[in-house]
């Protein structure tokens, strides 16, 4: 009997750990693999800082084991040197003891220094630490040489654990899709691999099971836990015909779902890809630090050589060992660990905190960009409103039969994915396929055009009627609701009014944006009266209606022309151009089109507009922590570097300036994951 994974209501897997094959299929093996313990601290192949900070489950003790061995041997040696002298602990025995204490923590670093040199990266932090500690041995400062490398190794382990913790949110997200599904055929069912399921298959979903593919609910009703996709813990009840997504957990009764999307094209697959690729998009601060470290490290090595040798020409009583010691202290202090580790970790923490709240950043560069946003420009339908329309009124000219016209409208709207089409279908009923409607085409920003028995049939806004020079007897500006104008054979037929409700957190969103000092502008293709009404209700600064897609682009260009940054929030296909133009494009991931989601820089998974100010706040807090770490590292290192060069700082101060500052910066970066936004 084939095994099925079982999950609780919170989405936690109860039975076993997902096999690595699932992660490979998700294209995310690099993010979640565990490296052997001896390779944990240093692996140049993956991370920009020259470290692989992934950690396999249960390997924590193994990570600390080399440091523990070194610490025990060093403590015993220091005790025998100072507190409980032993007659035998002298000469070559004492040297060998310190060498043995050094090897567990020093050998991996020396090995990585040699690897770096073989790849052409001569001046690495590994080389700095190797020179400093081996130099300490050369001048017979054995305890300090071992201690520096020991503290460095402990710092590396803590960095590894910190990064692993930062990645845990993403690893949890990557573990959302089961690798098997139960397909129902006739009166039987069989378990197959999720990737083997095809469009049209019917999946049986038992209580506690996760859906493996996107589909349409066939059962009458079902409740799903969508926390994995949206961060929302409240169950979401779906009814027959509604879309359900991979990663949702069935809460109560056995349900049937018809597969509508291939395994690799599901929303979850796209989310996995977004999250996996997020860390490859570097923030300007990260890029600067990487470039800085490449220039900074060789300069430091040259300065250390100068500190050691130049005093020979200027100092009367030059003692080589004293100046070599100062140079070694200088090298240890100058190690750029605090910067090259804590800064990427800070951004990683920001991405993780955002994903935990249902916000996906496609790169750490967009965290910086969101922090600097001055204007949020938003679409109306599906962004600030529910995007769920209901027909309010049907008003036709006396010469036309209402039932006939509604059947025609329902048929032509079935060619559109706009929420208006759904409202028409819910009001009229199922589409009458016998209606003779041909040559249907969509006119962007206007509506739909078709042919009925050789006569032109138009359904859209009043601009569509103006475009075809069709006169009408009413003033569209007097109608508050969204209006669908209808014309047949160059004659005005009438109109249908449709209302959309404002999302419950839309007003709060605008208030929070204003608190952050961000201006809000609404751009919509909907009629001006509707847009003005919604803007007034929400307190939006500026609002423009009756816009074509190119008009939205021009409005965003106007804002950018005065030198202000813009984030655009949208959900439709026609929003993709303006999303791409803005400094940060934000897509509503639940209702949003795939084109907009792929174009966007940030995806809000649960369609809640209140996540917009949350995303800005996460960006601001991440940037704040990153800059705190930069200032801390530069100030402390600068002070101790000067003291070290002047002979006023020992190796112990150097250890604090290097490892101590690194750990403080790491702990500060971890705070992002603990913050409540």
């Amino acid at each position: 009997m084939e095994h099925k994974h079982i999950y609780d209501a919170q989405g936690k897997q109860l039975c076993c750990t997902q096999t690595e094959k699932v992660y490979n299929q998700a294209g995310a093996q690099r993010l979640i693999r565990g490296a052997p313990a001896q390779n944990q601290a240093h692996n140049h192949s993956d991370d920009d800082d020259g470290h692989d900070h992934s950690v396999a489950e249960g390997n924590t003790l193994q990570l600390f084991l080399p440091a523990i061995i070194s610490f025990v041997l060093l403590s015993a040696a220091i005790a025998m040197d100072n507190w409980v002298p032993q007659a035998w602990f002298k000469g070559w025995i004492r040297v060998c003891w310190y060498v043995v204490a050094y090897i567990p923590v020093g050998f991996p670093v020396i090995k990585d220094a040699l690897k770096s040199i073989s790849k052409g990266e001569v001046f690495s932090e590994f080389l700095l630490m190797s020179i400093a500690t081996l130099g300490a041995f050369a001048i017979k400062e054995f305890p300090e040489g071992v201690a520096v490398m020991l503290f460095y190794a402990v710092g590396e382990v803590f960095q590894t654990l910190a990064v692993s913790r930062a990645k845990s949110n993403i690893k949890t997200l990557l573990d959302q899709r089961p690798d098997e599904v139960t397909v129902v055929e006739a009166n039987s069912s069989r378990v197959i691999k999720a990737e083997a399921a095809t469009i049209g298959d019917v999946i049986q979903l038992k209580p506690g099971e996760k859906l493996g593919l996107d589909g349409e609910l066939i059962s009458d009703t079902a409740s799903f836990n969508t926390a994995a996709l949206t961060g929302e813990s409240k169950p979401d009840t779906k009814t027959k015909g509604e879309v359900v997504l991979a990663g949702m957990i069935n809460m109560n009764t056995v349900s049937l779902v018809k597969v509508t999307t291939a395994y690799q094209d599901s929303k979850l697959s796209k989310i996995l890809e977004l999250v996996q690729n997020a860390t490859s998009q570097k923030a300007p601060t990260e890029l600067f630090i990487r470039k800085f470290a490449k220039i900074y490290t060789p300069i430091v090595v040259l300065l250390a050589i100068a500190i050691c040798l130049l005093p020979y020409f200027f100092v009367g009583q030059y003692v080589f060992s004293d100046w070599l010691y100062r140079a070694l202290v200088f090298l240890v202090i100058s190690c750029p660990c605090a910067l090259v580790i804590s800064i990427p970790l800070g951004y990683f923490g920001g991405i993780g905190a955002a994903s935990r709240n249902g916000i996906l950043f496609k790169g750490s560069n967009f965290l910086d960009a969101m922090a600097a946003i001055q204007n949020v420009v938003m679409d109306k339908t599906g962004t600030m409103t529910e995007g769920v329309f209901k027909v309010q009124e049907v008003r036709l000219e006396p010469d036309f039969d209402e039932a006939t016209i509604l059947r025609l409208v329902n048929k032509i709207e079935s060619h559109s994915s706009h929420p208006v089409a759904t409202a028409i279908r819910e009001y009229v009923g199922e589409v009458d396929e016998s209606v003779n409607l041909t040559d249907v085409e969509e006119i962007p920003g206007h509506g739909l055009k078709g042919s009925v028995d050789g006569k032109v049939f138009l359904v859209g806004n009043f601009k569509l009627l103006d475009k075809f020079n069709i006169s009408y007897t009413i003033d569209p500006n007097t109608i508050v609701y969204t209006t669908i104008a209808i014309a047949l054979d160059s004659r005005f037929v009438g109109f249908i009014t449709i209302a959309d409700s404002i999302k419950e957190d839309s007003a709060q969103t605008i208030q929070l944006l204003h608190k952050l000092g961000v201006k809000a502008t609404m751009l919509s293709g909907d009629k001006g009266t509707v847009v003005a009404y919604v803007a007034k209700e929400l307190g939006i600064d500026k609002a423009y209606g009756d816009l074509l897609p190119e008009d939205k682009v021009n409005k965003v260009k106007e804002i950018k022309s005065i030198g202000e940054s813009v984030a655009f929030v949208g959900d439709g296909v026609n929003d993709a151009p303006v999303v791409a133009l803005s400094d940060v494009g934000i897509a509503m991931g639940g209702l949003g089109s795939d084109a907009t989601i792929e174009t966007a820089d940030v995806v809000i998974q649960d369609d809640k507009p209140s996540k917009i100010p949350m995303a800005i706040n996460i960006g601001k807090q991440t940037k704040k922590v990153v800059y705190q770490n930069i200032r801390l590292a530069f100030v402390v290192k600068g002070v101790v570097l000067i003291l070290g060069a002047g002979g006023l700082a020992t190796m112990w101060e150097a250890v604090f300036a290097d490892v101590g500052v690194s750990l403080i910066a790491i702990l500060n970066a971890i705070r992002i994951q603990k913050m409540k936004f």
Side-chain angles (χ1 to χ4, degrees), residues 254-279:
V254 176
S255 304
L256 297 177
V257 175
K258 181 181 177 181
V259 177
T260 57
T261 307
Y263 182 86
Q264 66 272 16
D265 296 328
S266 70
K267 276 264 170 57
L268 184 59
S269 289
K270 295 182 188 301
I271 289 170
L272 298 183
E273 186 179 353
L274 295 184
V275 176
Q276 182 205 356
N277 294 333
T279 53

PDB file of all heavy atoms in Angstrom, residues 254-279:
ATOM      1  N   VAL A 254     -14.681  14.658   2.763  1.00  0.00           N
ATOM      2  CA  VAL A 254     -14.011  14.237   1.533  1.00  0.00           C
ATOM      3  C   VAL A 254     -14.513  15.107   0.386  1.00  0.00           C
ATOM      4  O   VAL A 254     -15.720  15.315   0.223  1.00  0.00           O
ATOM      5  CB  VAL A 254     -14.295  12.747   1.237  1.00  0.00           C
ATOM      6  CG1 VAL A 254     -13.684  12.352  -0.101  1.00  0.00           C
ATOM      7  CG2 VAL A 254     -13.743  11.876   2.350  1.00  0.00           C
ATOM      8  N   SER A 255     -13.591  15.632  -0.408  1.00  0.00           N
ATOM      9  CA  SER A 255     -13.950  16.544  -1.494  1.00  0.00           C
ATOM     10  C   SER A 255     -13.360  16.068  -2.806  1.00  0.00           C
ATOM     11  O   SER A 255     -12.361  15.345  -2.836  1.00  0.00           O
ATOM     12  CB  SER A 255     -13.435  17.958  -1.191  1.00  0.00           C
ATOM     13  OG  SER A 255     -13.928  18.413   0.040  1.00  0.00           O
ATOM     14  N   LEU A 256     -14.007  16.489  -3.902  1.00  0.00           N
ATOM     15  CA  LEU A 256     -13.525  16.162  -5.235  1.00  0.00           C
ATOM     16  C   LEU A 256     -13.118  17.441  -5.957  1.00  0.00           C
ATOM     17  O   LEU A 256     -13.838  18.449  -5.909  1.00  0.00           O
ATOM     18  CB  LEU A 256     -14.605  15.434  -6.041  1.00  0.00           C
ATOM     19  CG  LEU A 256     -15.047  14.072  -5.505  1.00  0.00           C
ATOM     20  CD1 LEU A 256     -16.178  13.501  -6.358  1.00  0.00           C
ATOM     21  CD2 LEU A 256     -13.876  13.091  -5.454  1.00  0.00           C
ATOM     22  N   VAL A 257     -11.956  17.396  -6.594  1.00  0.00           N
ATOM     23  CA  VAL A 257     -11.421  18.562  -7.297  1.00  0.00           C
ATOM     24  C   VAL A 257     -11.020  18.150  -8.709  1.00  0.00           C
ATOM     25  O   VAL A 257     -10.324  17.154  -8.897  1.00  0.00           O
ATOM     26  CB  VAL A 257     -10.193  19.141  -6.559  1.00  0.00           C
ATOM     27  CG1 VAL A 257      -9.574  20.272  -7.367  1.00  0.00           C
ATOM     28  CG2 VAL A 257     -10.574  19.616  -5.169  1.00  0.00           C
ATOM     29  N   LYS A 258     -11.473  18.936  -9.694  1.00  0.00           N
ATOM     30  CA  LYS A 258     -11.104  18.687 -11.086  1.00  0.00           C
ATOM     31  C   LYS A 258      -9.857  19.496 -11.426  1.00  0.00           C
ATOM     32  O   LYS A 258      -9.826  20.711 -11.252  1.00  0.00           O
ATOM     33  CB  LYS A 258     -12.261  19.089 -12.005  1.00  0.00           C
ATOM     34  CG  LYS A 258     -11.991  18.847 -13.482  1.00  0.00           C
ATOM     35  CD  LYS A 258     -13.188  19.299 -14.310  1.00  0.00           C
ATOM     36  CE  LYS A 258     -12.934  19.132 -15.803  1.00  0.00           C
ATOM     37  NZ  LYS A 258     -14.094  19.607 -16.601  1.00  0.00           N
ATOM     38  N   VAL A 259      -8.815  18.818 -11.888  1.00  0.00           N
ATOM     39  CA  VAL A 259      -7.544  19.474 -12.190  1.00  0.00           C
ATOM     40  C   VAL A 259      -7.707  20.407 -13.395  1.00  0.00           C
ATOM     41  O   VAL A 259      -8.209  19.990 -14.446  1.00  0.00           O
ATOM     42  CB  VAL A 259      -6.439  18.437 -12.481  1.00  0.00           C
ATOM     43  CG1 VAL A 259      -5.135  19.132 -12.866  1.00  0.00           C
ATOM     44  CG2 VAL A 259      -6.228  17.542 -11.273  1.00  0.00           C
ATOM     45  N   THR A 260      -7.296  21.664 -13.238  1.00  0.00           N
ATOM     46  CA  THR A 260      -7.415  22.647 -14.327  1.00  0.00           C
ATOM     47  C   THR A 260      -6.056  23.179 -14.790  1.00  0.00           C
ATOM     48  O   THR A 260      -5.983  23.865 -15.797  1.00  0.00           O
ATOM     49  CB  THR A 260      -8.276  23.845 -13.877  1.00  0.00           C
ATOM     50  OG1 THR A 260      -7.687  24.431 -12.701  1.00  0.00           O
ATOM     51  CG2 THR A 260      -9.700  23.411 -13.570  1.00  0.00           C
ATOM     52  N   THR A 261      -4.997  22.875 -14.042  1.00  0.00           N
ATOM     53  CA  THR A 261      -3.669  23.407 -14.367  1.00  0.00           C
ATOM     54  C   THR A 261      -2.625  22.310 -14.217  1.00  0.00           C
ATOM     55  O   THR A 261      -2.679  21.525 -13.257  1.00  0.00           O
ATOM     56  CB  THR A 261      -3.308  24.574 -13.431  1.00  0.00           C
ATOM     57  OG1 THR A 261      -4.357  25.540 -13.456  1.00  0.00           O
ATOM     58  CG2 THR A 261      -2.022  25.254 -13.877  1.00  0.00           C
ATOM     59  N   ALA A 262      -1.694  22.263 -15.133  1.00  0.00           N
ATOM     60  CA  ALA A 262      -0.615  21.276 -15.057  1.00  0.00           C
ATOM     61  C   ALA A 262       0.218  21.498 -13.800  1.00  0.00           C
ATOM     62  O   ALA A 262       0.305  22.614 -13.284  1.00  0.00           O
ATOM     63  CB  ALA A 262       0.267  21.367 -16.295  1.00  0.00           C
ATOM     64  N   TYR A 263       0.832  20.435 -13.316  1.00  0.00           N
ATOM     65  CA  TYR A 263       1.614  20.445 -12.078  1.00  0.00           C
ATOM     66  C   TYR A 263       2.628  21.586 -12.058  1.00  0.00           C
ATOM     67  O   TYR A 263       2.717  22.348 -11.099  1.00  0.00           O
ATOM     68  CB  TYR A 263       2.325  19.095 -11.959  1.00  0.00           C
ATOM     69  CG  TYR A 263       3.148  18.885 -10.717  1.00  0.00           C
ATOM     70  CD1 TYR A 263       2.565  18.410  -9.544  1.00  0.00           C
ATOM     71  CD2 TYR A 263       4.526  19.118 -10.726  1.00  0.00           C
ATOM     72  CE1 TYR A 263       3.323  18.182  -8.412  1.00  0.00           C
ATOM     73  CE2 TYR A 263       5.290  18.900  -9.596  1.00  0.00           C
ATOM     74  CZ  TYR A 263       4.686  18.424  -8.446  1.00  0.00           C
ATOM     75  OH  TYR A 263       5.441  18.209  -7.329  1.00  0.00           O
ATOM     76  N   GLN A 264       3.370  21.734 -13.150  1.00  0.00           N
ATOM     77  CA  GLN A 264       4.449  22.727 -13.186  1.00  0.00           C
ATOM     78  C   GLN A 264       3.937  24.147 -13.376  1.00  0.00           C
ATOM     79  O   GLN A 264       4.691  25.112 -13.206  1.00  0.00           O
ATOM     80  CB  GLN A 264       5.465  22.387 -14.287  1.00  0.00           C
ATOM     81  CG  GLN A 264       4.926  22.475 -15.705  1.00  0.00           C
ATOM     82  CD  GLN A 264       4.285  21.176 -16.172  1.00  0.00           C
ATOM     83  OE1 GLN A 264       3.980  20.302 -15.363  1.00  0.00           O
ATOM     84  NE2 GLN A 264       4.089  21.042 -17.479  1.00  0.00           N
ATOM     85  N   ASP A 265       2.664  24.309 -13.717  1.00  0.00           N
ATOM     86  CA  ASP A 265       2.106  25.645 -13.959  1.00  0.00           C
ATOM     87  C   ASP A 265       1.224  26.148 -12.828  1.00  0.00           C
ATOM     88  O   ASP A 265       0.638  27.227 -12.932  1.00  0.00           O
ATOM     89  CB  ASP A 265       1.271  25.644 -15.248  1.00  0.00           C
ATOM     90  CG  ASP A 265       2.114  25.356 -16.478  1.00  0.00           C
ATOM     91  OD1 ASP A 265       3.298  25.754 -16.473  1.00  0.00           O
ATOM     92  OD2 ASP A 265       1.607  24.735 -17.417  1.00  0.00           O
ATOM     93  N   SER A 266       1.104  25.390 -11.753  1.00  0.00           N
ATOM     94  CA  SER A 266       0.217  25.782 -10.656  1.00  0.00           C
ATOM     95  C   SER A 266       0.741  27.033  -9.959  1.00  0.00           C
ATOM     96  O   SER A 266       1.915  27.375 -10.058  1.00  0.00           O
ATOM     97  CB  SER A 266       0.081  24.653  -9.633  1.00  0.00           C
ATOM     98  OG  SER A 266       1.293  24.479  -8.932  1.00  0.00           O
ATOM     99  N   LYS A 267      -0.173  27.720  -9.238  1.00  0.00           N
ATOM    100  CA  LYS A 267       0.222  28.928  -8.505  1.00  0.00           C
ATOM    101  C   LYS A 267       1.336  28.599  -7.514  1.00  0.00           C
ATOM    102  O   LYS A 267       2.266  29.379  -7.321  1.00  0.00           O
ATOM    103  CB  LYS A 267      -0.994  29.492  -7.753  1.00  0.00           C
ATOM    104  CG  LYS A 267      -1.878  30.388  -8.618  1.00  0.00           C
ATOM    105  CD  LYS A 267      -1.519  31.843  -8.434  1.00  0.00           C
ATOM    106  CE  LYS A 267      -2.195  32.740  -9.452  1.00  0.00           C
ATOM    107  NZ  LYS A 267      -3.623  32.672  -9.490  1.00  0.00           N
ATOM    108  N   LEU A 268       1.240  27.422  -6.856  1.00  0.00           N
ATOM    109  CA  LEU A 268       2.257  27.060  -5.869  1.00  0.00           C
ATOM    110  C   LEU A 268       3.619  26.886  -6.524  1.00  0.00           C
ATOM    111  O   LEU A 268       4.639  27.294  -5.971  1.00  0.00           O
ATOM    112  CB  LEU A 268       1.842  25.785  -5.122  1.00  0.00           C
ATOM    113  CG  LEU A 268       2.786  25.348  -4.000  1.00  0.00           C
ATOM    114  CD1 LEU A 268       2.918  26.432  -2.934  1.00  0.00           C
ATOM    115  CD2 LEU A 268       2.312  24.056  -3.360  1.00  0.00           C
ATOM    116  N   SER A 269       3.634  26.280  -7.715  1.00  0.00           N
ATOM    117  CA  SER A 269       4.911  26.123  -8.428  1.00  0.00           C
ATOM    118  C   SER A 269       5.538  27.482  -8.692  1.00  0.00           C
ATOM    119  O   SER A 269       6.745  27.676  -8.548  1.00  0.00           O
ATOM    120  CB  SER A 269       4.690  25.398  -9.762  1.00  0.00           C
ATOM    121  OG  SER A 269       4.381  24.048  -9.553  1.00  0.00           O
ATOM    122  N   LYS A 270       4.710  28.446  -9.084  1.00  0.00           N
ATOM    123  CA  LYS A 270       5.219  29.791  -9.347  1.00  0.00           C
ATOM    124  C   LYS A 270       5.732  30.431  -8.061  1.00  0.00           C
ATOM    125  O   LYS A 270       6.754  31.111  -8.054  1.00  0.00           O
ATOM    126  CB  LYS A 270       4.119  30.655  -9.981  1.00  0.00           C
ATOM    127  CG  LYS A 270       3.683  30.169 -11.360  1.00  0.00           C
ATOM    128  CD  LYS A 270       2.630  31.078 -11.953  1.00  0.00           C
ATOM    129  CE  LYS A 270       2.056  30.502 -13.234  1.00  0.00           C
ATOM    130  NZ  LYS A 270       3.062  30.267 -14.268  1.00  0.00           N
ATOM    131  N   ILE A 271       5.009  30.191  -6.953  1.00  0.00           N
ATOM    132  CA  ILE A 271       5.426  30.742  -5.665  1.00  0.00           C
ATOM    133  C   ILE A 271       6.769  30.143  -5.245  1.00  0.00           C
ATOM    134  O   ILE A 271       7.672  30.838  -4.796  1.00  0.00           O
ATOM    135  CB  ILE A 271       4.357  30.473  -4.587  1.00  0.00           C
ATOM    136  CG1 ILE A 271       3.120  31.346  -4.863  1.00  0.00           C
ATOM    137  CG2 ILE A 271       4.893  30.744  -3.190  1.00  0.00           C
ATOM    138  CD1 ILE A 271       1.918  30.986  -4.018  1.00  0.00           C
ATOM    139  N   LEU A 272       6.901  28.815  -5.418  1.00  0.00           N
ATOM    140  CA  LEU A 272       8.164  28.157  -5.062  1.00  0.00           C
ATOM    141  C   LEU A 272       9.318  28.755  -5.858  1.00  0.00           C
ATOM    142  O   LEU A 272      10.398  29.012  -5.330  1.00  0.00           O
ATOM    143  CB  LEU A 272       8.074  26.651  -5.344  1.00  0.00           C
ATOM    144  CG  LEU A 272       7.027  25.848  -4.573  1.00  0.00           C
ATOM    145  CD1 LEU A 272       7.139  24.373  -4.934  1.00  0.00           C
ATOM    146  CD2 LEU A 272       7.153  26.032  -3.091  1.00  0.00           C
ATOM    147  N   GLU A 273       9.056  28.986  -7.145  1.00  0.00           N
ATOM    148  CA  GLU A 273      10.103  29.551  -8.000  1.00  0.00           C
ATOM    149  C   GLU A 273      10.458  30.970  -7.571  1.00  0.00           C
ATOM    150  O   GLU A 273      11.628  31.339  -7.516  1.00  0.00           O
ATOM    151  CB  GLU A 273       9.623  29.547  -9.453  1.00  0.00           C
ATOM    152  CG  GLU A 273      10.697  29.971 -10.440  1.00  0.00           C
ATOM    153  CD  GLU A 273      10.213  29.926 -11.875  1.00  0.00           C
ATOM    154  OE1 GLU A 273       9.097  29.439 -12.120  1.00  0.00           O
ATOM    155  OE2 GLU A 273      10.954  30.400 -12.740  1.00  0.00           O
ATOM    156  N   LEU A 274       9.429  31.754  -7.222  1.00  0.00           N
ATOM    157  CA  LEU A 274       9.669  33.131  -6.777  1.00  0.00           C
ATOM    158  C   LEU A 274      10.536  33.149  -5.531  1.00  0.00           C
ATOM    159  O   LEU A 274      11.500  33.907  -5.426  1.00  0.00           O
ATOM    160  CB  LEU A 274       8.342  33.837  -6.469  1.00  0.00           C
ATOM    161  CG  LEU A 274       7.374  34.087  -7.624  1.00  0.00           C
ATOM    162  CD1 LEU A 274       6.177  34.884  -7.125  1.00  0.00           C
ATOM    163  CD2 LEU A 274       8.044  34.823  -8.753  1.00  0.00           C
ATOM    164  N   VAL A 275      10.165  32.315  -4.559  1.00  0.00           N
ATOM    165  CA  VAL A 275      10.882  32.313  -3.283  1.00  0.00           C
ATOM    166  C   VAL A 275      12.292  31.782  -3.458  1.00  0.00           C
ATOM    167  O   VAL A 275      13.246  32.309  -2.897  1.00  0.00           O
ATOM    168  CB  VAL A 275      10.114  31.482  -2.228  1.00  0.00           C
ATOM    169  CG1 VAL A 275      10.899  31.410  -0.936  1.00  0.00           C
ATOM    170  CG2 VAL A 275       8.756  32.098  -1.964  1.00  0.00           C
ATOM    171  N   GLN A 276      12.428  30.724  -4.273  1.00  0.00           N
ATOM    172  CA  GLN A 276      13.762  30.154  -4.486  1.00  0.00           C
ATOM    173  C   GLN A 276      14.705  31.174  -5.105  1.00  0.00           C
ATOM    174  O   GLN A 276      15.878  31.265  -4.742  1.00  0.00           O
ATOM    175  CB  GLN A 276      13.673  28.935  -5.402  1.00  0.00           C
ATOM    176  CG  GLN A 276      15.045  28.281  -5.615  1.00  0.00           C
ATOM    177  CD  GLN A 276      15.112  27.503  -6.899  1.00  0.00           C
ATOM    178  OE1 GLN A 276      14.123  27.377  -7.610  1.00  0.00           O
ATOM    179  NE2 GLN A 276      16.273  26.993  -7.202  1.00  0.00           N
ATOM    180  N   ASN A 277      14.187  31.960  -6.043  1.00  0.00           N
ATOM    181  CA  ASN A 277      15.032  32.912  -6.757  1.00  0.00           C
ATOM    182  C   ASN A 277      15.208  34.234  -6.022  1.00  0.00           C
ATOM    183  O   ASN A 277      15.988  35.080  -6.455  1.00  0.00           O
ATOM    184  CB  ASN A 277      14.448  33.192  -8.149  1.00  0.00           C
ATOM    185  CG  ASN A 277      14.497  31.968  -9.041  1.00  0.00           C
ATOM    186  OD1 ASN A 277      15.357  31.114  -8.867  1.00  0.00           O
ATOM    187  ND2 ASN A 277      13.568  31.860  -9.972  1.00  0.00           N
ATOM    188  N   ALA A 278      14.473  34.412  -4.913  1.00  0.00           N
ATOM    189  CA  ALA A 278      14.470  35.716  -4.230  1.00  0.00           C
ATOM    190  C   ALA A 278      15.862  36.148  -3.788  1.00  0.00           C
ATOM    191  O   ALA A 278      16.233  37.311  -3.915  1.00  0.00           O
ATOM    192  CB  ALA A 278      13.531  35.679  -3.031  1.00  0.00           C
ATOM    193  N   THR A 279      16.651  35.203  -3.265  1.00  0.00           N
ATOM    194  CA  THR A 279      17.958  35.577  -2.722  1.00  0.00           C
ATOM    195  C   THR A 279      18.991  35.854  -3.801  1.00  0.00           C
ATOM    196  O   THR A 279      20.065  36.359  -3.504  1.00  0.00           O
ATOM    197  CB  THR A 279      18.492  34.468  -1.792  1.00  0.00           C
ATOM    198  OG1 THR A 279      18.470  33.231  -2.503  1.00  0.00           O
ATOM    199  CG2 THR A 279      17.639  34.356  -0.549  1.00  0.00           C
TER     200      THR A 279
END
